[in-house]
Amino acid sequence: MAQRYAKDQTSGFSNRIEHVAIVGASGGIGKYITKELLEMGKHTITVLTRPDSQNKIPEGVKAAHIDYDDESTLITALQGQQCLIITLSVMAPPDTHSKLVQAAAKAGVPYVMPNGWGLDVENRSLAKEAILGDKVVADIDEIAKTGVSSWVALVCNMWYEYSLAAGPEWLGFDFKEKKLTLYDDGNTKINVTTWEQCGRAVAAFLNLKELPEDENDQSPTISTWRDKPLYISSFLLNQRDIFESWKRVSGDKDSDWTVDSEPSAERRKRGLEILRTTGDRKGLGLAAVSRIFFPNGGGDYESNLGLANDVLGLPKENLDERTKFAKEMVDDGYSPFDRRGY
């Protein structure tokens, strides 16, 4: 698609995104995105929700009741929207994303942020081998094939607080037993991002101009990332960095913990076997995270591809503060499979 310029648009064109629809506004990542958009105060936000949903709709947004089995309700809810943000639970029916994408195209929505929120979708081997990435890539391809909507995928890798508190299958920390399992030697650095930083990034991105003014305008615009990943991060770190932060926050000493290691490839294989034989989603977490920790496996995208943090004006975060937040989740008995919000 050729680059468009604001100067060439019809009279009355507003060079910014004003109307945003979001699915999953009360969910894990959706809640933070909605919060930041509301605090920015520059968008009309419509939340797509089922009439029987028990989720609380945030104040300051419009609610559009939809039925996923009645496409007309989706199209009606999306008419006039300029960006659709999709955040779905892994438990959502597998055709939900497709229904939203097709309805968005029929409603003429120009931008869709797909339900990715993690892996580098341009690293196809990582996406395939980390299991969940294949679905994200397929969802993105479907958006492109509509010929109407463009996609922008937020690449944030693992959510830091969630992944630290989620249990040993994720970042290797078993807080109950005070045991840390290192992937390989524990020195492989990967990008991780906090929920709050993800929310800030989406809000800042949607506050950019949509198009450059003319051929000489080099400022960042939403169209800069049309059909591309938007790379952000909070921290580039390894498991040993996290362990040092945990000790600072908790007061634990090395002697309080048992530390061992397991080859990341073997750990991935074990996770796949758990998933195959039992269907336990902990196996999914183990296999996916292990793949991200493969040495030179793409978990560190910052070093090769750079980040949009500075362009978006994202703040530098304090690792210990976010580790403290994760510790509060651990102390509260957090499980990645419950529905409590944080």
Side-chain angles (χ1 to χ4, degrees), residues 73-110:
T73 65
L74 295 171
I75 296 172
T76 298
L78 292 172
Q79 285 175 339
Q81 302 297 331
Q82 295 167 280
C83 181
L84 168 62
I85 300 171
I86 304 176
T87 73
L88 296 171
S89 164
V90 294
M91 300 302 292
D95 61 348
T96 302
H97 199 281
S98 179
K99 289 178 177 180
L100 288 164
V101 167
Q102 295 303 321
K106 291 175 182 178
V109 180

Side-chain angles (χ1 to χ4, degrees), residues 197-218:
Q197 193 81 313
C198 290
R200 287 189 289 258
V202 173
F205 172 69
L206 292 177
N207 195 44
L208 297 174
K209 294 185 298 185
E210 181 184 356
L211 303 173
E213 297 297 333
D214 54 33
E215 295 86 346
N216 299 315
D217 185 357
Q218 298 299 311

Side-chain angles (χ1 to χ4, degrees), residues 230-248:
L230 178 64
Y231 294 98
I232 67 161
S233 179
S234 294
F235 311 110
L236 177 62
L237 42 62
N238 58 38
Q239 288 173 287
R240 295 182 185 275
D241 297 327
I242 299 170
F243 189 35
E244 292 304 312
S245 178
W246 177 268
K247 288 185 290 182
R248 290 192 296 269

Side-chain angles (χ1 to χ4, degrees), residues 39-328:
E39 289 185 358
M40 183 165 285
K42 295 183 179 180
H43 305 86
T44 299
I45 305 167
T46 300
V47 173
L48 275 60
T49 182
R50 298 184 306 274
D52 60 348
S53 173
Q54 300 301 308
N55 292 327
K56 184 179 179 181
I57 302 298
E59 293 185 10
V61 306
K62 296 181 178 181
H65 292 114
I66 51 95
D67 179 352
Y68 284 108
D69 294 322
D70 182 353
E71 186 182 52
S72 66
T73 65
L74 295 171
I75 296 172
T76 298
L78 292 172
Q79 285 175 339
Q81 302 297 331
Q82 295 167 280
C83 181
L84 168 62
I85 300 171
I86 304 176
T87 73
L88 296 171
S89 164
V90 294
M91 300 302 292
D95 61 348
T96 302
H97 199 281
S98 179
K99 289 178 177 180
L100 288 164
V101 167
Q102 295 303 321
K106 291 175 182 178
V109 180
Y111 296 97
V112 175
M113 298 194 77
N115 190 50
W117 318 109
L119 293 173
D120 178 5
V121 294
E122 296 286 73
N123 187 331
R124 295 302 170 99
S125 63
L126 172 61
K128 181 178 179 62
E129 293 170 10
I131 307 173
L132 295 176
D134 262 357
K135 175 66 166 62
V136 179
V137 170
D139 289 341
I140 286 172
D141 288 344
E142 182 178 9
I143 296 169
K145 288 176 182 176
T146 66
V148 176
S149 305
S150 296
W151 59 271
V152 179
L154 188 77
V155 175
C156 55
N157 233 7
M158 298 168 65
W159 298 329
Y160 180 63
E161 309 97 320
Y162 171 97
S163 301
L164 183 54
E169 295 80 13
W170 274 257
L171 288 175
F173 287 80
D174 185 334
F175 294 106
K176 182 178 180 180
E177 300 297 329
K178 291 199 172 183
K179 179 181 178 181
L180 169 60
T181 301
L182 298 174
Y183 292 90
D184 303 309
D185 60 7
N187 289 319
T188 299
K189 288 185 179 289
I190 66 168
N191 287 104
V192 295
T193 311
T194 66
W195 280 320
E196 290 183 343
Q197 193 81 313
C198 290
R200 287 189 289 258
V202 173
F205 172 69
L206 292 177
N207 195 44
L208 297 174
K209 294 185 298 185
E210 181 184 356
L211 303 173
E213 297 297 333
D214 54 33
E215 295 86 346
N216 299 315
D217 185 357
Q218 298 299 311
S219 59
T221 65
I222 287 174
S223 65
T224 302
W225 283 277
R226 185 181 61 214
D227 297 331
K228 295 178 183 178
L230 178 64
Y231 294 98
I232 67 161
S233 179
S234 294
F235 311 110
L236 177 62
L237 42 62
N238 58 38
Q239 288 173 287
R240 295 182 185 275
D241 297 327
I242 299 170
F243 189 35
E244 292 304 312
S245 178
W246 177 268
K247 288 185 290 182
R248 290 192 296 269
V249 166
S250 67
D252 286 352
K253 301 178 178 62
D254 284 333
S255 58
D256 297 323
W257 282 72
T258 299
V259 180
D260 62 14
S261 65
E262 183 177 8
S264 52
E266 291 300 316
R267 198 166 167 84
R268 177 176 181 270
K269 185 185 298 185
R270 186 160 60 83
L272 290 173
E273 183 65 13
I274 292 171
L275 187 63
R276 185 186 69 81
T277 57
T278 70
D280 190 334
R281 282 187 289 162
K282 290 182 178 180
L284 174 63
L286 185 63
V289 175
S290 297
R291 176 58 185 83
I292 295 171
F293 271 102
F294 276 18
N296 302 313
D300 167 15
Y301 47 78
E302 174 181 347
S303 296
N304 292 325
L305 300 170
L307 300 175
N309 286 38
D310 290 343
V311 170
L312 298 176
L314 301 182
K316 302 288 186 183
E317 295 175 280
N318 183 287
L319 176 61
D320 287 358
E321 287 181 1
R322 304 322 300 166
T323 300
K324 181 180 179 182
F325 183 79
K327 183 178 183 302
E328 292 170 359

